[in-house]
Amino acid sequence: MRPNFENTAIAFELKSDSQLERAYFLFKMISIEPLVKIGTTLTNVAIKAHLPVEGLIRTTVFDHFCGGVNEKDCLPIIDNMYGNGVCSVLDYSAEGKSVDNQFDFAMEKTLEILDFVKEKDALPFAVFKPTGFGRFKLFEKVTAGTKLTEKEQAEWGRIVNRFEKVCQKAHNLDVSLLIDAEESWMQDAADDLVLDMMRKYNKEKAVVFNTFQMYRWDRMGYIIKLHEAAKEEGFKIGAKVVRGAYMEKENDRADDKGYESPICKSKRLTDENFDAAIDYMMEHLEYFSIFAGTHNEQSTLKLVDLMEERKVPENDARIWFGQLFGMSDHITYNLAASGYNSVKYIPYGPVRDVMPYLIRRAEENTSVAGQTSRELTLITKERKRRKMAD
């Protein structure tokens, strides 16, 4: 059954009137670009100066876009959503760490979540970021092909071991593992590492998933090359397909350093690239498992239509739809109501540590044309519907 994204009763069923009002207020604020710029700057300053702003952040933007400060906080949200057929991906979103014990902590956290995922049907995936397991600068150096010092080689070995430990456990538990993508100038090193893990652990089915940011014009070529390797070497490809989250940073760096930006020249080309990737993967579904991470209604419906054309059941284990917690509820909940595998990515972690993620969310909402106004339109529609029903 084709989902109806206009059905706000299904979309916001789990939101109380006060939560709906908070969502309206937040998206109204996010829709004012200068306000977002000032707000993010002031928040950064306040956090660096250790000003007591955590309470305010917690009750507004944090509680809307995050599940809580720890796994226990997230459990009521996970169970609540699962009651409406929506699964969750718990994403420990502390960013910008730089020393080994912090990377070991992130690895241990991911290993714990794998156990959690194994026990709970509401959690079909675990997830981690490559730079949660190792220094960004080292990924950058390996990507650039720069010779590593002896100390750096040992450090890189520890990163490889962290990947290995987590992927092996995911395989042993038969739990799917998503690995996020990051900036292009560190991504080749991460891609090569994830490919090694796929070769080892994706023999029978996709356990390890890499993430492809389709705002990069070179990703389609990479996916085709990966498919050739999978056919030749006999492994499956886990593919989380997204548009991408670092556009301004990518374009700014390309300008500064005088190289061609890896980002598609326009939003239209990005959309075409994303849809081409979905098309290609659906054509070769015997090799691919797809996690379509998108807030775009047209791309979502395109995948729904392709599934119908190819007579792929709505709940086929190889196809998942994902949106971020606090956004695009009209997509997630209406997909679930129509029988599709749908999940919310639930970021969590200490408020201070999750702030870089939250700031990126606010900036992304202002830079994606129509995203915030669509949220506001649907929230307004639901507010009216509730008033009429009273």
Side-chain angles (χ1 to χ4, degrees), residues 177-181 187 190-192 194-195 198 208-212 219 222 226 237-241:
L177 179 67
L178 304 167
I179 301 173
D180 284 341
Q187 191 59 43
D191 284 344
D192 290 348
V194 180
L195 175 54
M198 282 193 199
V208 178
F209 282 64
N210 201 359
T211 299
F212 306 108
R219 289 295 84 182
Y222 181 75
L226 194 58
I237 300 160
K240 181 181 161 207
V241 192

Side-chain angles (χ1 to χ4, degrees), residues 169-381:
K169 181 163 184 175
H171 177 263
N172 292 347
L173 291 176
D174 192 21
V175 164
S176 299
L177 179 67
L178 304 167
I179 301 173
D180 284 341
E182 301 185 60
E183 290 88 341
S184 62
W185 58 97
M186 61 70 67
Q187 191 59 43
D188 286 0
D191 284 344
D192 290 348
L193 245 180
V194 180
L195 175 54
D196 284 344
M197 299 299 129
M198 282 193 199
R199 284 184 174 121
K200 267 189 193 178
Y201 299 116
N202 286 11
K203 294 283 188 201
E204 285 87 38
K205 66 174 207 176
V207 170
V208 178
F209 282 64
N210 201 359
T211 299
F212 306 108
Q213 301 190 100
M214 301 312 297
Y215 66 2
R216 283 181 57 176
W217 49 261
D218 66 344
R219 289 295 84 182
M220 197 61 228
Y222 181 75
I223 288 165
I224 293 165
K225 201 173 81 177
L226 194 58
H227 178 219
E228 293 304 319
K231 280 193 290 191
E232 215 171 284
E233 299 171 41
F235 65 89
K236 308 289 185 191
I237 300 160
K240 181 181 161 207
V241 192
V242 301
R243 277 169 170 76
Y246 304 92
M247 186 169 70
E248 285 174 17
K249 205 190 267 192
E250 290 281 2
N251 285 331
D252 288 349
R253 187 177 191 269
D255 278 351
D256 287 351
K257 298 195 176 284
Y259 61 83
E260 185 186 0
S261 172
I263 305 300
C264 291
K265 293 270 189 288
S266 68
K267 170 77 166 65
R268 181 181 59 80
L269 290 172
T270 296
D271 291 342
E272 285 172 8
N273 212 27
F274 183 98
D275 290 345
I278 295 293
D279 257 331
Y280 186 85
M281 289 172 186
M282 284 299 288
E283 265 175 52
H284 305 284
L285 199 56
E286 68 276 23
Y287 282 98
F288 286 92
S289 284
I290 304 166
F291 184 109
T294 180
H295 295 197
N296 185 292
E297 293 169 31
Q298 284 71 38
S299 292
T300 303
L301 291 172
K302 181 185 169 65
L303 180 48
V304 163
D305 291 343
L306 284 171
M307 288 172 74
E308 199 174 322
E309 271 171 40
R310 294 172 187 278
K311 299 190 168 35
V312 177
E314 288 94 342
N315 63 348
D316 190 294
R318 294 167 299 177
I319 301 173
W320 287 80
F321 296 82
Q323 288 77 44
L324 295 164
F325 185 66
M327 289 165 69
S328 299
D329 288 346
H330 65 296
I331 296 178
T332 317
Y333 288 94
N334 283 302
L335 278 167
S338 298
Y340 293 90
N341 295 321
S342 68
V343 304
K344 280 291 194 195
Y345 238 71
I346 304 188
Y348 75 100
V351 177
R352 274 172 194 275
D353 291 350
V354 175
M355 278 319 295
Y357 166 85
L358 289 171
I359 286 167
R360 219 171 46 248
R361 279 292 72 78
E363 287 171 346
E364 190 181 283
N365 268 286
T366 55
S367 66
V368 176
Q371 174 75 50
T372 302
S373 61
R374 180 70 170 134
E375 297 277 0
L376 277 169
T377 302
L378 290 160
I379 292 166
T380 303
K381 185 180 171 183

Side-chain angles (χ1 to χ4, degrees), residues 19-29 64 375-376 379-380 383:
Q19 286 171 328
L20 197 67
E21 289 308 312
R22 183 183 64 194
Y24 180 78
F25 168 76
L26 278 175
F27 283 113
K28 201 82 180 151
M29 294 297 103
H64 182 81
E375 297 277 0
L376 277 169
I379 292 166
T380 303
R383 287 163 93 212

